[in-house]
Amino acid sequence: MHLLQLALEEAKKCTPSSTAFCVGALLVNAGGNILSTGYSRELPGNTHAEQVCLQKLGFRRLPAGSACYTTMEPCSERLSGNKPCVDNLIEAGVEKVYMGVKEPDTFVKCVGVDKLQEAGIEVTYVPGLEIDCMEVAIRGHKGR
Ligand code: ZN
């Protein structure tokens, strides 16, 4: 199974919300072993999936070659005032990000990919899971 599919399984554990997305994420080391998993709002404080992954590891610096798999583009701005996931990932030393779908401009204009690439992180869009990732992400939204 592709690691992004595992991230999607995490996303499905999310409690749907009308004001946020349901996202799942994994952190893996250079050998592809899972270091941490997370999904939106798994930990208290309106947490994001990538943030949960990092928080479970105490926001420590990750080993060289670590990658983040996330069902949706990591956020570059948060209306809540919390630190954006992009900043957390950069600080943790993540070297690669694999994502299922870009963040739609529903809440904020996301420039997560641009910010990651500017920091020298390799961003790969994984084709094939876009529809699944988006359907799970917007489960709690109006009209769904
Ligand atoms: Zn985020």
Side-chain angles (χ1 to χ4, degrees):
M1 188 189 278
H2 195 284
L3 285 165
L4 193 64
Q5 275 174 307
L6 286 181
L8 187 58
E9 292 307 310
E10 289 298 314
K12 289 176 184 170
K13 298 177 190 171
C14 274
T15 306
S17 163
S18 61
T19 55
F21 296 110
C22 289
V23 180
L26 308 174
L27 291 171
V28 301
N29 66 14
N33 298 306
I34 294 169
L35 302 171
S36 186
T37 64
Y39 55 88
S40 310
R41 300 174 297 287
E42 180 180 351
L43 296 175
N46 193 27
T47 48
H48 285 189
E50 304 91 328
Q51 178 188 4
V52 168
C53 288
L54 293 163
Q55 196 167 324
K56 285 180 180 175
L57 298 172
F59 289 105
R60 69 165 186 260
R61 185 132 183 118
L62 299 171
S66 294
C68 177
Y69 286 79
T70 179
T71 56
M72 184 177 279
E73 179 178 13
C75 65
S76 58
E77 187 186 337
R78 290 179 70 167
L79 300 176
S80 59
N82 287 321
K83 190 186 270 192
C85 292
V86 159
D87 295 353
N88 280 324
L89 290 168
I90 291 169
E91 280 175 26
V94 167
E95 294 182 18
K96 295 177 181 182
V97 172
Y98 296 89
M99 61 176 219
V101 68
K102 268 192 75 70
E103 178 174 338
D105 295 337
T106 312
F107 303 120
V108 292
K109 173 97 185 99
C110 183
V111 293
V113 169
D114 297 338
K115 278 181 78 177
L116 290 168
Q117 287 174 337
E118 276 164 26
I121 295 171
E122 190 183 315
V123 181
T124 306
Y125 162 70
V126 180
L129 290 172
E130 186 172 16
I131 291 168
D132 292 333
C133 288
M134 186 55 77
E135 290 217 320
V136 172
I138 61 172
R139 269 190 312 179
H141 294 192
K142 216 176 152 192
R144 300 293 303 176

